[in-house]
């Protein structure tokens, strides 16, 4: 005899999923272009996750720009690029961290036909490096560096 359970393991996102981050702070972060959700495990097979909407004004522009790293106190943090620039989720919630690079961010080609950007965390330097397409380029041609300290 085989036991089965009906599940509702899907998440409807108006604009489509553009990124996933985590696990982080007890859940998985799911992004659309202008939304951030947190999925928290319920422990129930019939409804495996509960969804919390964290933001409806910013999201993640591309999965490859979301990276796990640490914050200035060594705590886990999730970093990503939104259409407005760099963001971080950490001990202080979701924060915009792009003020220092706003002049460069204004040149990012969000409509790049190849790759808008991608990122990586360099733990030995305590830095997030994002490579982005700027000034009409369709492939990343500039690096933005965020020092987590």
């Amino acid at each position: 005899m085989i036991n089965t359970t009906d599940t509702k393991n899907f998440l409807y996102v108006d604009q489509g999923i553009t990124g996933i981050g985590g696990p982080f702070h007890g859940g998985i972060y799911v992004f659309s272009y202008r939304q951030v959700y947190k999925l928290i495990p319920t422990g129930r097979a019939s409804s495996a996750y509960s969804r919390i909407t964290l933001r409806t004004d910013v999201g993640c522009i591309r999965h490859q720009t979301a990276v796990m790293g640490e914050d200035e106190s060594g705590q886990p943090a999730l970093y990503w690029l939104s259409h407005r620039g760099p963001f971080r989720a950490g001990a202080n919630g979701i924060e915009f961290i792009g003020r220092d690079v706003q002049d460069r961010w204004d040149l990012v080609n969000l409509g790049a036909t190849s790759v808008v950007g991608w990122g990586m965390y360099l733990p030995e330097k305590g830095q997030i490096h994002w490579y982005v397409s700027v000034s009409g380029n369709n492939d990343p041609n500039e690096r933005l560096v965020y020092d987590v300290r």
Side-chain angles (χ1 to χ4, degrees):
M1 174 185 237
I2 298 174
N3 292 329
T4 62
T5 301
D6 290 334
T7 64
K8 298 176 183 175
N9 294 329
F10 77 94
L11 170 65
Y12 177 74
V13 178
D14 293 338
Q15 303 164 350
I17 294 175
T18 58
I20 297 174
F24 175 67
H25 283 193
I28 299 169
Y29 282 63
V30 176
F31 301 95
S32 74
Y33 197 78
R34 292 187 190 240
Q35 297 168 321
V36 181
Y37 300 101
K38 184 175 181 181
L39 301 182
I40 300 172
T42 64
R44 297 185 316 263
S46 60
S47 181
Y49 293 94
S50 63
R51 178 182 75 179
I52 299 171
T53 302
L54 301 177
R55 296 286 293 256
T56 59
D57 59 335
V58 295
C60 181
I61 61 172
R62 187 168 189 262
H63 178 68
Q64 291 85 350
T65 69
V67 296
M68 287 296 301
E70 295 180 347
D71 66 11
E72 61 275 7
S73 61
Q75 297 300 311
L78 175 61
Y79 296 84
W80 71 90
L81 295 179
S82 81
H83 70 285
R84 288 182 33 209
F87 274 78
R88 169 176 75 181
N92 297 321
I94 295 178
E95 304 171 278
F96 176 68
I97 58 170
R99 284 177 188 50
D100 293 343
V101 294
Q102 191 63 52
D103 61 329
R104 301 311 302 158
W105 186 258
D106 291 341
L107 300 175
V108 170
N109 180 13
L110 292 173
T113 57
S114 181
V115 176
V116 176
W118 61 275
M120 60 191 236
Y121 175 57
L122 296 144
E124 67 282 354
K125 293 185 175 188
Q127 296 175 340
I128 307 292
H129 288 210
W130 281 293
Y131 296 83
V132 293
S133 302
V134 299
S135 301
N137 283 288
N138 287 310
D139 289 301
N141 62 327
E142 188 165 316
R143 178 177 55 183
L144 303 176
V145 177
Y146 179 76
D147 191 309
V148 301
R149 294 162 286 194

